[in-house]
Amino acid sequence: MVLRTRAQWWGVTLDAPGDVRELARFYSRLLDWELFADDTGDSASVAPSKDAGYNLGFQAEAHHVRPVWPAQPGRAQMSMHLEIQVDDLDEAVAHAVSVGAEIAAHQPQATVRVMLDPPGTRSASTSTTRTAPHPPGPRLRSPPIPTSEPAPRRRLQTRTLFGPRHPPQEPAPMHRSRLSTLLIDTPAEQATAGTAFWSAALGVPALSPPGEPQFATLHGGVPGLVVAVQSVDAAARFHVDIETDDVAAEVARLTGLGAVEMSTWQGCRTLQVPGGHLLCVIPVHSDPEAFSRLARTW
């Protein structure tokens, strides 16, 4: 294939019957790109320049089956199309017609013009989409692969891209979080008995962190999680902690899912989730390597 000489390049190659140089000349005029062809008519390419790194290629295929447009049951369907994004739809259509394109009879959208390229080859369309985030060149998408009967033309949508008219939107900031802690909340008068039970049930020791006698941590009770019995002045319950590198963003994410914020205490924010359970959103407290390995990015 012509231009397939760079170390890195990309493109799409269209199969067509006969001498593909005429088809390449059409797209060269349509896109105002340079034409590159061999002497046999078996292959050709168009590109903004020989050093662009991308091209639109054409290759002779004697048994090529051309699909119908619009699609019909039992007939070959289009396998791909190109789109050309333009600033002025009428002007672009006039230009396409002037270089040999035809306006298709079927037009499914008011803001798009489906156009057929010269008979026996392919088709093109122009779109009124006004902005684009990248420099001139075809943008591609791939519908189903053609199947059987030949047809007079193939639909090809192309967009000529003239650069953004509106500034691109900033991507939403990301944060990370993970379920880190399972807390077995136990009424204070039963905390000692509860701790002894869970230590024996899970087969792990119960240890109170220095300065936090209300907690009894059950190390290794559940792999990957901190499990602890917590003495509380409330009814028995379970609750979980989610640790995160952005507490505000995680609270916003969870309230967007239906949770309701109940209180804030020492940087921890307590939410009630659908179903009535409590959940605390806390800053990262686990080992940084473990957090990076286990957390999800949102």
Side-chain angles (χ1 to χ4, degrees):
M1 174 57 59
V2 180
L3 286 188
R4 195 175 294 176
T5 56
R6 293 175 52 84
Q8 293 184 341
W9 64 276
W10 66 267
V12 60
T13 298
L14 307 179
D15 292 339
D19 190 332
V20 298
R21 288 175 292 187
E22 283 303 311
L23 180 58
R25 290 188 186 99
F26 165 76
Y27 280 102
S28 174
R29 295 190 297 266
L30 181 70
L31 300 173
D32 194 24
W33 285 6
E34 292 186 45
L35 171 64
F36 305 89
D38 62 19
D39 295 331
T40 65
D42 290 338
S43 70
S45 298
V46 295
S49 73
K50 67 178 181 179
D51 297 316
Y54 59 92
N55 66 352
L56 179 61
F58 309 91
Q59 182 171 284
E61 174 53 67
H63 303 291
H64 172 69
V65 176
R66 296 186 294 272
V68 297
W69 168 250
Q72 299 175 18
R75 303 291 299 277
Q77 298 181 27
M78 66 176 184
S79 61
M80 62 156 290
H81 66 268
L82 301 179
E83 297 181 347
I84 301 177
Q85 180 175 321
V86 300
D87 287 326
D88 188 304
L89 179 61
D90 293 336
E91 180 180 335
V93 169
H95 167 66
V97 170
S98 73
V99 298
E102 302 175 21
I103 301 175
H106 178 57
Q107 299 292 333
Q109 295 170 267
T111 56
V112 171
R113 293 294 179 271
V114 178
M115 304 190 73
L116 307 175
D117 62 16
T121 53
R122 282 165 172 72
S123 59
S125 77
T126 55
S127 165
T128 54
T129 306
R130 300 291 184 172
T131 62
H134 46 80
R139 183 169 14 178
L140 313 176
R141 64 187 181 192
S142 300
I145 297 174
T147 54
S148 55
E149 298 272 333
R153 295 174 180 81
R154 179 178 186 169
R155 181 189 178 211
L156 185 66
Q157 267 191 336
T158 5
R159 290 187 181 176
T160 304
L161 308 175
F162 293 103
R165 177 168 295 181
H166 305 292
Q169 294 182 346
E170 290 294 327
M174 295 186 295
H175 72 281
R176 296 173 296 168
S177 67
R178 77 175 188 104
L179 180 67
S180 63
T181 310
L182 170 63
L183 287 145
I184 305 168
D185 295 335
T186 308
E189 64 274 14
Q190 300 178 47
T192 300
T195 298
F197 170 81
W198 285 109
S199 175
L202 298 177
V204 295
L207 301 172
S208 292
E212 296 182 304
Q214 74 275 26
F215 293 105
T217 303
L218 303 167
H219 291 283
V222 178
L225 291 180
V226 174
V227 181
V229 177
Q230 179 177 220
S231 175
V232 297
D233 295 324
R237 67 196 178 198
F238 295 90
H239 84 265
V240 297
D241 289 350
I242 289 182
E243 65 175 350
T244 177
D245 54 12
D246 190 329
V247 171
E250 182 66 4
V251 169
R253 185 180 77 85
L254 296 174
T255 54
L257 296 174
V260 177
E261 187 167 2
M262 306 295 290
S263 63
T264 300
W265 181 73
Q266 294 186 350
C268 303
R269 294 166 70 170
T270 302
L271 288 73
Q272 187 174 54
V273 304
H277 298 92
L278 294 181
L279 177 155
C280 291
V281 179
I282 64 175
V284 175
H285 70 278
S286 63
D287 176 72
E289 187 280 328
F291 177 76
S292 296
R293 177 169 46 86
L294 299 172
R296 291 182 180 274
T297 299
W298 308 101

